[in-house]
Amino acid sequence: MTTVRAVVIAKPGGVDVLSVGEVDVRAPGPFEIAVKVKAAGLNRADLLQRMGLYPAPAGSPDNVPGLEYAGEVIALGENVTEVREGDRVMGIVGGGAMAEEVIVDARCAVPIPESLAFEQAAAIPEAFFTAFDALVLQAKMTLGDVVLIHAVGSGVGAAAVQLVRAASARAFGTSRTQEKLDRAHALGTEAGILATDGKFADALRAKSGQRGADIILDTVGAAYLSENLHALADGGRMVAVGLLGGATGELPMGMLLKKRARILGTVLRSRPREDKIALAQAFRRSALPLFATGQLAPVIDQVFSMTAVREAHQRLEQNATFGKLILTWP
C-alpha cells in the first residue's frame, strides 16, 4: 500500500464536505498500471457523488471522486504490454481519479498526444469518449448527418461539435445563453438555438432546410423528450447521455412509430471493463490521431488546484462554464 493525497468526501453534502486528505492505494494487479495523476477533470457526476446521489460502482472508492485522469505511468502489474513506466496516459475510471495515484487497467489507458500538456489531456477522456461513443459507435454518424447537440457549451457538447465537424456532418447546438452559442459556433456549429423555453424543434427545421435532426445528442432527458421526437427527421436517432432535466417523461409513441425513430441510451461509468477497453481502443484508433492534426482539441473553461476543489464545484454548479473544469496537483 502507498499513502497519497486525495480529494476526500467526508459525508454527503455541500462543498464543505470536500477536503484534501490522505488515502491508501494498492499495488497494480495483473493487466493494471499505477498512474501518478497530474490532472483530473471535474464532472457533474462528481457533484452528484458528493451529494450522495450517485454512488461509485463496485471496485471504485466511495469517498474519492474523479472519473478521468491524465498522468504518468509509475508501476506495471503482471502481463502489461501496452505501456511502459514513464509513459504519459489518460483515461476514464469509475472513481478515485482525484488522488495523486490511481490504479487502472492498462488496456483502458490512452496515450497523451505529445503536443498536449497534462491539463489539456485531462479535459479529453470523459467528454470525448462520451461523445465518440454516442455519435460514432451508437448512432452511427455519417457524412452529411444533421446532428443536434443539447447543452452545447458543456464538456461533452464542445467535444461533440468537433467530432461532428471532423466527420463532415452538420452540427447544431442548443443552449440557454447566447454567449455559449456564439462560442460553439466558433468551434464548428452551423447554427445555434436559444432554448430558454425548452422549444427548439421548429427552429432546427428552419435552420436545417426543413430536414430535422438525423441524430440528437441529449444530455437533458425527460424535459426535452417530446420536443426531441418533434425535432427528429424520419429514421432519426436520439442518444441520451444525461438526465439533467429529469429521468421520467411522456413519450409520444405515435410519432415514434411514424418517424421510425430510435431512442438509445448510454453511460460509461457503470459499464463492464470489457466495454471500456473496447471503447478506449476504438477511440485510440479513430479519434486520437485527430488531436495531432488539430481537428480535435480539448476545451477548458478553467484550471484549479486540487486544494481549491470547493471553488471548482461551486463554479460547475453555477452552470456558467464552457468546456471542462480541470484540477491539478500543486
Side-chain angles (χ1 to χ4, degrees):
M1 287 285 186
T2 302
T3 300
V4 301
R5 290 181 298 169
V7 171
V8 176
I9 302 170
K11 60 181 180 179
V15 296
D16 57 306
V17 305
L18 296 167
S19 64
V20 174
E22 292 187 341
V23 296
D24 292 331
V25 179
R26 62 175 175 82
F31 302 103
E32 292 181 330
I33 56 176
V35 178
K36 184 174 182 60
V37 176
K38 302 292 187 177
L42 181 64
N43 294 279
R44 292 196 177 274
D46 299 313
L47 273 59
L48 295 174
Q49 182 173 343
R50 185 203 77 211
M51 293 184 284
L53 301 175
Y54 194 6
S60 298
D62 289 326
N63 64 333
V64 180
L67 302 183
E68 57 189 334
Y69 67 89
E72 182 179 308
V73 178
I74 56 174
L76 308 178
E78 295 179 4
N79 306 317
V80 172
T81 59
E82 293 81 5
V83 299
R84 298 174 297 179
E85 289 189 26
D87 283 355
R88 302 192 321 145
V89 295
M90 59 185 178
I92 57 174
V93 290
M98 290 184 186
E100 286 183 305
E101 187 177 323
V102 66
I103 305 300
V104 303
D105 191 302
R107 297 163 293 183
C108 292
V110 174
I112 296 174
E114 292 183 4
S115 61
L116 299 183
F118 286 115
E119 294 91 336
Q120 295 171 301
I124 292 174
E126 188 68 26
F128 279 92
F129 283 23
T130 297
F132 176 81
D133 175 61
L135 296 175
V136 178
L137 302 184
Q138 305 296 329
K140 310 298 183 185
M141 179 173 60
T142 60
L143 176 74
D145 275 343
V146 169
V147 183
L148 179 63
I149 302 161
H150 289 314
V152 73
S154 67
V156 171
V161 171
Q162 297 178 66
L163 287 166
V164 172
R165 182 189 60 193
S168 296
R170 302 169 63 191
F172 296 79
T174 69
S175 178
R176 293 182 178 274
T177 68
Q178 187 61 47
E179 179 188 3
K180 291 185 180 182
L181 292 178
D182 293 341
R183 295 183 68 177
H185 184 64
L187 281 178
T189 57
E190 187 171 320
I193 300 168
L194 198 61
T196 52
D197 60 355
K199 300 296 184 182
F200 48 82
D202 290 344
L204 176 66
R205 290 192 178 280
K207 293 174 184 290
S208 64
Q210 298 303 317
R211 177 168 174 173
D214 299 296
I215 300 172
I216 295 177
L217 181 61
D218 181 39
T219 57
V220 177
Y224 279 6
L225 182 57
S226 179
E227 189 73 0
N228 277 337
L229 262 291
H230 282 83
L232 279 177
D234 288 350
R237 296 87 76 196
M238 185 191 98
V239 188
V241 299
L243 300 171
L244 292 175
T248 304
E250 292 187 4
L251 176 66
M253 292 292 293
M255 187 174 297
L256 179 73
L257 300 181
K258 181 180 179 181
K259 290 190 173 184
R260 296 171 284 107
R262 284 172 282 168
I263 298 177
L264 308 167
T266 184
V267 66
L268 299 186
R269 190 182 194 190
S270 60
R271 283 163 71 168
R273 177 178 294 193
E274 294 75 16
D275 283 9
K276 293 179 180 179
I277 293 171
L279 172 58
Q281 297 307 311
F283 183 87
R284 180 174 181 172
R285 290 190 304 270
S286 300
L288 192 64
L290 302 182
F291 287 93
T293 63
Q295 290 176 272
L296 300 180
V299 179
I300 297 175
D301 178 84
Q302 194 170 341
V303 178
F304 292 85
S305 166
M306 289 286 182
T307 57
V309 63
R310 294 181 180 181
E311 289 85 346
H313 274 237
Q314 289 172 330
R315 170 85 178 149
L316 189 55
E317 288 176 335
Q318 292 167 358
N319 295 321
T321 57
F322 187 90
K324 298 285 296 187
L325 295 178
I326 303 300
L327 293 102
T328 63
W329 286 109

